[in-house]
Amino acid sequence: MEDVLSFTDAGLYCAAGDFHIDPWRPVPRALITHGHADHARPGMGAYLCTAPAAPVIRLRLGDVTLETIAYGEARQIGGARVSFHPAGHVPGSAQIRVEVAGQVWVVSGDYKVVDDGLSEPFAPVRCHTFISECTFGLPVFTWPDAATLKAQIDGWWAANAAQGRASLLGAYSLGKAQRLLTMVNRNIGPILTHGAVENTNAVLRAQGVALPPTLRVTAETDARAHPGALVIAPPSALSGPWARRFGPAETAFASGWMAIHGIRRRRGTERGFVISDHADWAGLNAAIAATGAERIYVTHGYTAVFRRWLEEQGYDARIVRTGWEGESLDTAEEAGT
Amino acid sequence: MKRFAALFAALDATGSTTAKTAALAAYFREAPPEDRLWTVALFSGRRPRRAITATRLRDWAAEAAGLPLWLVEESYPVVGDLAETLSLILPPPTRSAENRLAGWIAELRRLSTLDEEARRAGILAAWDSLGGTERFLFNKLLTGGFRVGVSQKLMTRALAQATGQDEAALTHRLMGGWTPDTTTWQALITAPDPAADLSRPYPFCLASPLDDIAALGPVSDWAAEWKWDGIRAQFVLRGGNWFLWSRGEDLVTDRFPELAQLADRLPQGTVIDGEVLAWADGAPLPFARLQPRLGRKSVPKKLLAEAPALLMAYDLLEDAGQDLRGAPLSQRRAQLARLLDGLPEDTPLRLSPQLPATDWPALAAARETARENGAEGLMLKRLASAYGIGRKRGDWWKWKVDPLTIDAVMIYAQAGHGRRATLFTDYTFAVRDGDGFTPFTKAYSGLTDAEFAEVTRWVRAHTLQRFGPVRQVPPELVFEIAFEGIQASPRHKSGIALRFPRILRWRRDKPAAEADTLGTLREILRQHG
Ligand SMILES: [Zn+2]
Ligand SMILES: [Zn+2]
């Protein structure tokens, strides 16, 4: 039997429908799982994404030919039947289901299975073949529950505020930043945002996502006029001159990698909050089991280890190399994930 | 354990020394005395005896977590710490336990007397009642190696704050061969202690690397001597017993039985600071000849005959039971010379010779000959200086010879540990050998974090083969490797072993075809080996 998708230099290709999914080279027609830069790249002839993912993609890619589709809506493209289903990764993010001649493949994009209260919650999709990310595909990654995280972050912010210090929190500008905004206790103090975060906030607010009031940091902002503020910025901004305006401040980083002591220390951050928009070990395993798929392709992450594990669990497990990235620790790659 | 876990979390959450000291001092004021004592012990490298091997712990944790062993082993290099790896993979606890730090240590001791099945049950029960940081710390107790970013100095300062005692007096109290089993908080820290523990050495005075010779002033203020490449040690003779302490505060008396003669030939109440060297035919042997002594409890006869040890005396810290450390170096040296004068020829003790310090250029020239004299360079000590505690800049300087260097090609890379678990920081280097490359050393420090990150990206993109955690890469990147010494070694493929190899810099300007050859390396061996 023909494969529904094949793996090409440009990305995942569906011959029956003549389209690519999250391609990393320019192609005529691209189906996009979500707006992060490693998935939604410039230069495609035409884009198709979910309606809630579209505004951010327009913000990042400019005026492109873009069509939208509702979650769950089926669309026939050539010989393929496609539909988009919530991936729980960031607002608007989707898994893409492709059916050709009775064979169903699902491309996960990036996903997490816990409900972050912001993104459309992950919905498992039955399929024959599942292409899964595995950024955190090792059993050492287990995310703390939301209440524990909230207590940690609020406690840190409140303690800093009590000393009159600013709390600088590094988080990706699409997804994690907004998740933090909706998580923290806004009565502790004012919340300031870096321009990259605030631009995304504005787009999401315009499409009806409820976010607490925030203040954009500009060249004119007098940091000292907002003592005890929480400042949310991309990680790269926190190590540069931008952050100096806040005077003596405490810095923390929010990432799944913070689960590992040595990795946090290497970043030189004393505080790290274990919060990720990717699935942890248990989440990956649960999501894969829920698809009912027999064949699993794993990509970006601990692929070799995770593949072997899946094989021992009885799956036909394979590795596929893609241009997608996991949750990056490298501040220069902030646009990714 | 909750209080100890809270202390650990507080120490871990701040980079400020002041905040760390305050957190420790608060703990030393409030925690129960047995827990305080154990905390002092753990933070000064005195860990409980290993009750269970790492292999067993790995097996049991994998089993408890329902994971295959290979998966646990693959996870370990990512985390970089076994205790942490195991605490992360284990399922969340289903019970709770109110056990203090000392209580858990007592439990470990109890387990160590039981058979393996009972030990296993005990460990699984402990894991099932501890979560998060507590479980991590419990595993640290099991695996040893308690490095928490707290230096002994910082801990001593916190103890001083908590008890109102003098920091230097506490430093002295903490030295020696005590364990929480042989003492109590009261006896170790607070009780009056006039007799002191007879075995106790003095805190070592350390030298700083010399940066600016022009700032030292007149040469006549200084004593110069060779910086010997051996084991820095204190010889302590009191009350009829002798002790040899290495700089890491390890008691190494048993490793150097030939120094027992000194106890018969020197007066009681003598403490000498010096360097233990392997010595034959009037000259020092390379450090590598001394090294086999450190790994074992007793020394085989063959080693005693082939590489006999001797103490090269630098300084006299105690004479006739009197603490001399406050006296000027010139006086201490004179007393040392008098003490050593007239000892029989075959005594394994020598006065480290002082070099004539007539002017700085002459000393600089002498330094250039250090390697030929079996030394690493010069030590410069201010004649008027007291014997200080730790590394106090200004009075003692080490003026090492420039390292030997060679341009080598990276052929394997491996991820680092701990804070460098996500970076490839450990490299194997080769020299050109005909058309191929012959590996000759590993090195894993000397680049900046940004350079390590760049090499890491390169390694990921150029991996040829993986051997477990090791990646083979094409021989393309050239690095300048510095080292302090070189020796013939039949155990190595290259026939050569280096001492203290490290990366000096990344030679982006050099292609692999211009890297040094095995011939160059052999020539360096001929000249300096
Ligand atoms: Zn993403
Ligand atoms: Zn991604």
Coordinates of all heavy atoms in Angstrom, one line a residue, chain A residues 137-142 250 257 259-271 281 302-309 312-313 321 329-330 333, chain B residues 8 11-16 20 66-68 70-72 74-76 78-80 84-85 88-89 136 418-423 449 453 457 460 466:
Chain A
G137 N 11.2 13.1 25.4 CA 11.0 11.6 25.4 C 11.9 10.8 26.2 O 12.5 9.9 25.8
L138 N 12.1 11.2 27.5 CA 12.9 10.4 28.5 C 12.1 10.4 29.8 O 11.4 11.4 30.1 CB 14.2 11.1 28.7 CG 15.3 11.0 27.7 CD1 16.6 11.7 28.1 CD2 15.6 9.5 27.3
P139 N 12.2 9.3 30.5 CA 11.4 9.2 31.7 C 11.7 10.1 32.8 O 11.1 10.1 33.9 CB 11.6 7.7 32.1 CG 12.8 7.3 31.5 CD 13.0 8.1 30.2
V140 N 12.8 10.9 32.6 CA 13.2 11.9 33.7 C 12.3 13.1 33.6 O 12.3 14.0 34.5 CB 14.6 12.3 33.6 CG1 15.5 11.1 34.0 CG2 15.0 12.8 32.3
F141 N 11.5 13.2 32.6 CA 10.7 14.5 32.4 C 9.2 14.2 32.9 O 8.5 13.5 32.2 CB 10.7 15.0 31.0 CG 12.1 15.4 30.6 CD1 12.8 14.6 29.7 CD2 12.6 16.6 31.1 CE1 14.1 15.0 29.3 CE2 13.9 16.9 30.7 CZ 14.6 16.2 29.8
T142 N 8.9 14.8 34.0 CA 7.5 14.7 34.5 C 7.2 16.1 35.0 O 7.9 16.7 35.8 CB 7.5 13.8 35.8 OG1 8.0 12.5 35.4 CG2 6.0 13.6 36.3
E250 N 15.7 39.9 40.0 CA 15.8 38.4 40.0 C 15.4 37.9 38.7 O 14.4 38.4 38.1 CB 15.0 37.8 41.2 CG 15.4 38.3 42.6 CD 16.7 37.8 43.0 OE1 17.1 36.6 42.6 OE2 17.5 38.5 43.7
W257 N 13.0 22.1 30.4 CA 14.4 21.7 30.7 C 14.8 22.1 32.2 O 15.8 21.5 32.7 CB 15.4 22.4 29.8 CG 15.2 22.0 28.4 CD1 14.6 22.7 27.3 CD2 15.5 20.7 27.8 NE1 14.6 22.0 26.2 CE2 15.1 20.8 26.4 CE3 16.1 19.6 28.3 CZ2 15.3 19.7 25.6 CZ3 16.3 18.5 27.5 CH2 15.9 18.6 26.1
A259 N 13.6 21.1 34.6 CA 13.4 19.9 35.5 C 14.7 19.3 35.8 O 14.8 18.6 36.8 CB 12.6 18.8 34.7
I260 N 15.8 19.6 35.1 CA 17.1 19.1 35.3 C 18.0 20.1 35.9 O 18.3 21.1 35.3 CB 17.6 18.4 34.1 CG1 16.6 17.3 33.7 CG2 19.0 17.9 34.3 CD1 17.1 16.3 32.7
H261 N 18.4 19.8 37.1 CA 19.3 20.7 37.9 C 20.5 21.2 37.1 O 20.7 22.4 37.1 CB 19.7 19.8 39.1 CG 20.1 20.7 40.2 ND1 21.5 20.7 40.6 CD2 19.5 21.5 41.0 CE1 21.6 21.5 41.6 NE2 20.4 22.0 41.9
G262 N 21.2 20.2 36.5 CA 22.5 20.6 35.8 C 22.2 21.5 34.7 O 23.0 22.4 34.4
I263 N 21.1 21.3 34.0 CA 20.8 22.2 32.8 C 20.5 23.6 33.3 O 20.9 24.6 32.7 CB 19.7 21.5 32.0 CG1 20.1 20.2 31.4 CG2 19.2 22.5 30.9 CD1 19.1 19.5 30.6
R264 N 19.7 23.7 34.4 CA 19.4 25.0 34.9 C 20.7 25.7 35.3 O 20.9 26.9 35.0 CB 18.4 24.8 36.1 CG 18.1 26.2 36.7 CD 16.9 26.1 37.7 NE 17.2 25.1 38.8 CZ 17.9 25.4 39.8 NH1 18.6 26.5 39.9 NH2 18.1 24.5 40.7
R265 N 21.5 25.0 36.0 CA 22.8 25.7 36.5 C 23.6 26.1 35.3 O 24.3 27.2 35.4 CB 23.6 24.7 37.3 CG 22.9 24.3 38.6 CD 23.8 24.6 39.8 NE 23.9 26.1 40.0 CZ 23.3 26.7 41.0 NH1 22.5 26.1 41.9 NH2 23.5 28.0 41.2
R266 N 23.6 25.3 34.3 CA 24.4 25.7 33.1 C 24.0 27.0 32.5 O 24.7 27.8 32.0 CB 24.4 24.6 32.0 CG 25.4 24.9 30.9 CD 25.2 23.8 29.9 NE 24.0 23.9 29.1 CZ 23.8 24.8 28.2 NH1 24.7 25.7 27.9 NH2 22.6 24.8 27.6
R267 N 22.7 27.3 32.6 CA 22.1 28.5 32.1 C 22.5 29.7 33.0 O 22.2 30.8 32.7 CB 20.6 28.4 31.9 CG 20.2 27.8 30.7 CD 18.8 28.2 30.4 NE 18.6 29.6 30.4 CZ 18.8 30.4 29.3 NH1 19.0 29.8 28.2 NH2 18.6 31.7 29.4
G268 N 23.0 29.4 34.2 CA 23.4 30.4 35.1 C 22.2 31.1 35.7 O 22.3 32.2 36.3
T269 N 21.0 30.5 35.7 CA 19.8 31.0 36.3 C 19.7 30.3 37.7 O 19.7 29.1 37.7 CB 18.5 30.7 35.6 OG1 18.9 30.4 34.2 CG2 17.5 31.8 35.7
E270 N 19.4 31.0 38.7 CA 19.2 30.4 40.0 C 17.8 29.7 40.1 O 17.6 28.7 40.6 CB 19.4 31.4 41.2 CG 20.7 31.4 41.8 CD 21.7 32.2 40.9 OE1 21.3 33.2 40.4 OE2 22.9 31.7 40.7
R271 N 16.8 30.4 39.5 CA 15.5 29.9 39.6 C 15.0 29.4 38.2 O 15.3 30.1 37.2 CB 14.5 30.9 40.1 CG 14.6 31.2 41.5 CD 14.6 30.0 42.4 NE 13.4 29.3 42.4 CZ 12.4 29.5 43.3 NH1 12.5 30.3 44.3 NH2 11.3 28.7 43.2
W281 N 7.0 12.8 29.6 CA 7.2 11.4 29.2 C 5.8 10.7 29.3 O 5.4 10.0 28.4 CB 8.2 10.7 30.2 CG 8.2 9.3 30.2 CD1 7.7 8.4 31.1 CD2 8.9 8.5 29.2 NE1 8.0 7.1 30.7 CE2 8.8 7.1 29.6 CE3 9.6 8.7 28.1 CZ2 9.3 6.0 28.9 CZ3 10.2 7.7 27.3 CH2 10.0 6.4 27.7
Y302 N 14.7 13.1 21.8 CA 15.5 11.9 22.1 C 15.0 10.7 21.2 O 14.5 9.7 21.7 CB 15.5 11.5 23.5 CG 16.1 12.6 24.4 CD1 15.3 13.5 25.0 CD2 17.5 12.7 24.4 CE1 15.9 14.6 25.8 CE2 18.1 13.8 25.2 CZ 17.3 14.7 25.8 OH 17.8 15.7 26.6
T303 N 15.1 10.9 19.9 CA 14.4 10.0 18.9 C 14.9 8.6 19.1 O 14.1 7.6 19.1 CB 14.6 10.5 17.5 OG1 16.0 10.8 17.3 CG2 13.7 11.7 17.2
A304 N 16.2 8.4 19.1 CA 16.8 7.0 19.1 C 16.3 6.2 20.4 O 15.8 5.1 20.2 CB 18.3 7.0 19.1
V305 N 16.3 6.9 21.5 CA 15.9 6.2 22.7 C 14.4 6.0 22.7 O 13.9 4.9 23.1 CB 16.3 7.1 23.9 CG1 15.8 6.5 25.2 CG2 17.8 7.3 24.0
F306 N 13.7 7.0 22.3 CA 12.2 6.9 22.4 C 11.7 5.9 21.4 O 10.8 5.1 21.7 CB 11.6 8.3 22.1 CG 10.2 8.4 22.5 CD1 9.8 8.0 23.8 CD2 9.2 8.8 21.6 CE1 8.4 8.1 24.1 CE2 7.9 8.8 21.9 CZ 7.5 8.5 23.2
R307 N 12.4 5.8 20.2 CA 12.0 4.8 19.2 C 12.2 3.4 19.8 O 11.3 2.5 19.7 CB 12.8 4.9 18.0 CG 12.4 4.1 16.8 CD 13.5 3.7 15.9 NE 14.5 2.8 16.5 CZ 14.2 1.5 16.7 NH1 13.1 0.9 16.2 NH2 15.1 0.7 17.3
R308 N 13.3 3.1 20.4 CA 13.6 1.8 21.0 C 12.6 1.5 22.0 O 12.1 0.3 22.1 CB 15.0 1.8 21.6 CG 15.4 0.4 22.1 CD 16.8 0.4 22.5 NE 17.1 -0.8 23.4 CZ 18.1 -1.0 24.1 NH1 19.1 -0.1 24.1 NH2 18.3 -2.1 24.8
W309 N 12.2 2.4 22.9 CA 11.2 2.2 23.9 C 9.9 1.8 23.3 O 9.2 0.9 23.7 CB 11.1 3.5 24.7 CG 9.8 3.6 25.5 CD1 8.8 4.4 25.2 CD2 9.5 2.9 26.8 NE1 7.8 4.2 26.2 CE2 8.2 3.3 27.1 CE3 10.2 2.0 27.6 CZ2 7.5 2.9 28.3 CZ3 9.5 1.5 28.7 CH2 8.2 1.9 29.0
E312 N 9.8 -1.6 22.0 CA 9.7 -2.6 23.1 C 8.2 -2.7 23.5 O 7.8 -3.7 24.1 CB 10.6 -2.3 24.2 CG 12.1 -2.6 23.9 CD 13.0 -2.5 25.1 OE1 12.6 -2.2 26.2 OE2 14.2 -2.7 24.9
Q313 N 7.5 -1.6 23.3 CA 6.1 -1.6 23.7 C 5.2 -2.2 22.6 O 4.0 -2.2 22.7 CB 5.6 -0.2 24.0 CG 6.4 0.6 25.0 CD 6.6 -0.2 26.3 OE1 5.7 -0.5 27.0 NE2 7.9 -0.4 26.6
R321 N 13.6 12.4 10.3 CA 14.3 13.7 10.6 C 13.5 14.8 9.9 O 13.1 14.7 8.8 CB 15.7 13.7 9.9 CG 16.7 12.9 10.7 CD 18.1 13.2 10.0 NE 18.4 14.6 10.1 CZ 19.4 15.0 10.9 NH1 20.1 14.2 11.7 NH2 19.7 16.3 11.0
L329 N 16.8 25.5 24.3 CA 17.5 26.1 25.5 C 18.3 27.2 25.1 O 18.8 28.0 25.9 CB 18.3 25.1 26.2 CG 17.8 24.4 27.4 CD1 18.8 23.5 28.0 CD2 17.4 25.4 28.4
D330 N 18.6 27.3 23.8 CA 19.5 28.2 23.3 C 18.8 29.5 23.0 O 17.8 29.6 22.3 CB 20.1 27.7 22.0 CG 21.3 28.5 21.5 OD1 21.4 29.7 21.9 OD2 22.1 27.9 20.8
E333 N 17.7 31.0 19.7 CA 16.7 30.3 18.9 C 15.3 30.5 19.4 O 14.4 29.7 19.2 CB 17.0 28.8 18.9 CG 18.3 28.4 18.1 CD 18.7 27.0 18.4 OE1 17.9 26.2 18.7 OE2 19.9 26.8 18.2
Chain B
F8 N 18.6 22.9 51.4 CA 19.2 22.7 50.1 C 18.6 23.6 49.1 O 19.2 24.2 48.3 CB 19.1 21.2 49.7 CG 19.5 20.9 48.3 CD1 20.9 20.7 48.1 CD2 18.6 20.9 47.3 CE1 21.3 20.5 46.8 CE2 19.1 20.6 46.0 CZ 20.4 20.4 45.8
L11 N 19.8 27.1 49.4 CA 21.2 27.3 48.9 C 21.2 27.3 47.4 O 22.0 28.0 46.7 CB 22.1 26.2 49.4 CG 22.3 26.1 51.0 CD1 23.0 24.9 51.3 CD2 23.1 27.4 51.4
D12 N 20.4 26.4 46.8 CA 20.3 26.2 45.4 C 19.7 27.4 44.7 O 20.0 27.6 43.5 CB 19.5 24.9 45.1 CG 19.7 24.5 43.7 OD1 20.9 24.5 43.3 OD2 18.7 24.1 43.1
A13 N 18.8 28.1 45.3 CA 18.0 29.1 44.7 C 18.7 30.5 44.6 O 18.2 31.4 44.1 CB 16.6 29.3 45.3
T14 N 19.9 30.6 45.2 CA 20.6 31.9 45.2 C 22.0 31.7 44.8 O 22.7 30.7 45.1 CB 20.5 32.5 46.6 OG1 21.2 33.8 46.5 CG2 21.1 31.7 47.6
G15 N 22.6 32.7 44.1 CA 24.0 32.7 43.8 C 24.7 33.6 44.7 O 26.0 33.7 44.7
S16 N 24.0 34.3 45.6 CA 24.7 35.2 46.5 C 25.3 34.5 47.7 O 24.6 33.7 48.4 CB 23.6 36.2 47.0 OG 23.8 36.6 48.4
K20 N 23.5 32.6 50.9 CA 23.8 31.2 51.3 C 24.3 31.1 52.7 O 23.8 30.2 53.4 CB 24.9 30.7 50.3 CG 24.4 30.3 48.9 CD 25.6 29.7 48.2 CE 25.5 29.7 46.7 NZ 24.9 28.5 46.1
G66 N 9.1 0.6 36.7 CA 8.6 -0.2 35.5 C 9.3 0.2 34.2 O 8.7 0.1 33.2
L67 N 10.6 0.5 34.3 CA 11.3 0.8 33.1 C 12.5 -0.2 32.8 O 13.0 -0.7 33.8 CB 11.9 2.2 33.2 CG 11.0 3.4 33.4 CD1 11.7 4.7 33.7 CD2 10.2 3.6 32.1
P68 N 12.8 -0.4 31.6 CA 14.0 -1.3 31.3 C 15.2 -0.5 31.8 O 15.3 0.7 31.7 CB 14.0 -1.4 29.8 CG 13.2 -0.3 29.3 CD 12.2 0.1 30.3
W70 N 18.1 -0.3 30.4 CA 18.8 0.5 29.4 C 18.3 1.9 29.3 O 19.0 2.9 29.0 CB 18.8 -0.2 28.0 CG 17.4 -0.2 27.4 CD1 16.5 -1.2 27.4 CD2 16.8 0.8 26.6 NE1 15.4 -0.9 26.7 CE2 15.5 0.4 26.2 CE3 17.2 2.1 26.2 CZ2 14.6 1.1 25.4 CZ3 16.3 2.9 25.4 CH2 15.0 2.4 25.1
L71 N 17.0 2.1 29.5 CA 16.4 3.4 29.4 C 16.9 4.3 30.6 O 17.1 5.5 30.4 CB 14.9 3.3 29.4 CG 14.0 4.5 29.2 CD1 14.5 5.3 28.0 CD2 12.6 4.1 29.1
V72 N 17.0 3.7 31.7 CA 17.6 4.5 32.9 C 19.0 4.9 32.5 O 19.4 6.0 32.8 CB 17.5 3.6 34.2 CG1 18.1 4.4 35.3 CG2 16.1 3.2 34.5
E74 N 20.3 5.3 29.6 CA 20.3 6.4 28.5 C 20.0 7.7 29.1 O 20.4 8.8 28.6 CB 19.3 6.0 27.4 CG 19.7 4.9 26.5 CD 20.8 5.3 25.5 OE1 21.1 6.5 25.4 OE2 21.2 4.4 24.7
S75 N 19.2 7.7 30.2 CA 18.7 9.0 30.8 C 19.8 9.6 31.6 O 19.9 10.9 31.7 CB 17.5 8.7 31.7 OG 16.4 8.2 31.0
Y76 N 20.7 8.8 32.2 CA 21.7 9.3 33.1 C 22.6 10.4 32.5 O 22.8 11.4 33.1 CB 22.5 8.1 33.7 CG 23.7 8.5 34.4 CD1 23.7 9.3 35.6 CD2 25.0 8.1 33.9 CE1 24.8 9.7 36.2 CE2 26.1 8.5 34.6 CZ 26.1 9.3 35.7 OH 27.2 9.7 36.3
V78 N 22.0 12.5 30.3 CA 21.3 13.8 30.1 C 21.2 14.5 31.4 O 21.3 15.8 31.4 CB 19.9 13.5 29.5 CG1 19.0 14.7 29.4 CG2 20.0 12.8 28.2
V79 N 20.9 13.8 32.5 CA 20.8 14.4 33.8 C 22.2 14.7 34.4 O 22.4 15.8 35.0 CB 20.0 13.5 34.7 CG1 19.8 14.2 36.1 CG2 18.6 13.3 34.1
G80 N 23.1 13.8 34.2 CA 24.5 14.1 34.6 C 24.7 13.7 36.1 O 25.7 14.0 36.6
E84 N 20.0 12.2 41.0 CA 18.9 13.0 40.4 C 18.2 12.2 39.4 O 16.9 12.2 39.4 CB 19.5 14.3 39.8 CG 18.3 15.2 39.4 CD 18.8 16.5 38.7 OE1 20.0 16.7 38.6 OE2 17.9 17.2 38.2
T85 N 18.9 11.4 38.6 CA 18.2 10.6 37.6 C 17.2 9.6 38.2 O 16.1 9.6 37.8 CB 19.3 9.7 36.8 OG1 20.3 10.6 36.3 CG2 18.6 9.0 35.6
L88 N 14.2 11.3 39.6 CA 13.2 11.8 38.6 C 12.4 10.7 38.0 O 11.3 10.9 37.6 CB 14.0 12.5 37.5 CG 14.6 13.9 37.9 CD1 15.5 14.4 36.8 CD2 13.5 14.9 38.2
I89 N 13.0 9.5 37.8 CA 12.2 8.4 37.2 C 11.3 7.7 38.1 O 10.3 7.1 37.6 CB 13.1 7.4 36.5 CG1 14.0 6.7 37.5 CG2 14.0 8.0 35.4 CD1 14.6 5.4 37.0
F136 N 15.7 13.3 46.2 CA 17.0 13.6 45.6 C 18.1 13.5 46.7 O 19.1 12.9 46.5 CB 16.9 14.9 44.9 CG 18.2 15.5 44.5 CD1 19.0 14.8 43.5 CD2 18.7 16.7 45.0 CE1 20.2 15.4 43.2 CE2 19.9 17.2 44.7 CZ 20.7 16.5 43.7
G418 N 26.7 17.3 34.8 CA 26.1 18.4 35.6 C 25.7 19.6 34.8 O 24.9 19.4 33.9
R419 N 26.2 20.7 35.0 CA 25.7 21.9 34.3 C 26.0 21.9 32.8 O 25.5 22.7 32.1 CB 26.2 23.2 35.0 CG 27.7 23.5 34.7 CD 28.1 24.8 35.4 NE 29.4 25.2 34.8 CZ 29.5 26.2 34.0 NH1 28.4 26.8 33.5 NH2 30.7 26.5 33.5
R420 N 26.9 21.0 32.4 CA 27.2 20.9 31.0 C 26.6 19.7 30.3 O 27.1 19.2 29.3 CB 28.7 20.9 30.8 CG 29.2 22.3 31.2 CD 30.6 22.5 30.9 NE 30.9 23.9 30.7 CZ 32.1 24.4 30.8 NH1 33.1 23.7 31.2 NH2 32.2 25.7 30.6
A421 N 25.5 19.2 30.9 CA 24.9 17.9 30.4 C 24.4 18.1 29.0 O 24.3 17.1 28.3 CB 23.8 17.4 31.4
T422 N 24.1 19.3 28.6 CA 23.5 19.4 27.2 C 24.6 19.8 26.2 O 24.3 20.0 25.0 CB 22.4 20.4 27.2 OG1 22.9 21.7 27.7 CG2 21.2 20.0 28.0
L423 N 25.8 20.0 26.7 CA 26.9 20.5 25.8 C 27.9 19.4 25.6 O 28.2 18.6 26.5 CB 27.6 21.7 26.4 CG 26.8 23.0 26.4 CD1 27.7 24.1 27.1 CD2 26.4 23.4 25.1
D449 N 31.7 29.2 27.4 CA 30.4 28.6 27.2 C 29.9 28.8 25.7 O 29.3 27.9 25.1 CB 29.4 29.1 28.2 CG 29.5 28.4 29.5 OD1 30.5 27.6 29.7 OD2 28.7 28.6 30.4
A453 N 29.1 25.9 23.1 CA 27.8 25.8 22.4 C 28.0 25.7 20.9 O 27.3 24.9 20.2 CB 27.0 27.0 22.7
R457 N 27.0 22.5 18.4 CA 26.2 22.5 17.2 C 26.9 21.8 16.1 O 26.3 21.1 15.3 CB 25.8 23.9 16.8 CG 24.7 24.5 17.7 CD 24.1 25.8 17.1 NE 25.1 26.9 17.1 CZ 25.2 27.7 18.2 NH1 24.5 27.5 19.3 NH2 26.1 28.7 18.2
R460 N 26.8 18.0 16.6 CA 25.5 17.5 16.2 C 25.3 17.3 14.7 O 24.8 16.3 14.2 CB 24.4 18.4 16.8 CG 24.3 18.4 18.3 CD 22.8 18.5 18.8 NE 22.8 18.4 20.2 CZ 22.8 19.4 21.0 NH1 22.7 20.6 20.6 NH2 22.8 19.2 22.3
R466 N 27.8 7.0 16.5 CA 27.6 7.1 18.0 C 28.1 5.8 18.7 O 27.7 4.7 18.2 CB 26.1 7.3 18.3 CG 25.6 8.6 17.9 CD 24.1 8.5 18.1 NE 23.5 9.7 17.6 CZ 22.6 10.4 18.2 NH1 22.2 10.1 19.5 NH2 22.0 11.5 17.7

